Amino acid sequence: MYQPDLLVGQRILITGGGTGLGAAMATRFAELGASLVLCGRRAEVLQATADPLRARGTAVQTLVCDVRDAA
């Protein structure tokens, strides 16, 4: 439906990017060529999502944070 290079050159920030809908969105955005920044509360969960994406050539950065905490 979309061209595989639709998001090349774009960086996408996904909160809750380690599981569920966040991980699914990360996978799809990666398929469309975007680089990703995945944020979440648990480093091990973020790594589990990021590693297969990196193995396929996607640039993925992970940040441990809680978006509910303004500090």
Side-chain angles (χ1 to χ4, degrees):
M1 173 192 248
Y2 296 108
Q3 293 190 24
D5 63 350
L6 180 67
L7 298 176
V8 169
Q10 301 297 310
R11 182 179 305 157
I12 297 179
L13 170 71
I14 303 172
T15 60
T19 61
L21 289 174
M25 288 187 286
T27 300
R28 184 62 179 137
F29 288 141
E31 290 170 352
L32 295 174
S35 62
L36 306 171
V37 179
L38 304 180
C39 297
R41 294 177 289 136
R42 297 171 290 165
E44 63 279 354
V45 173
L46 292 172
Q47 285 304 118
T49 299
D51 288 344
L53 296 172
R54 288 182 181 128
R56 293 183 358 206
T58 300
V60 182
Q61 180 182 3
T62 59
L63 297 172
V64 176
C65 65
D66 187 344
V67 297
R68 301 172 295 178
D69 182 2

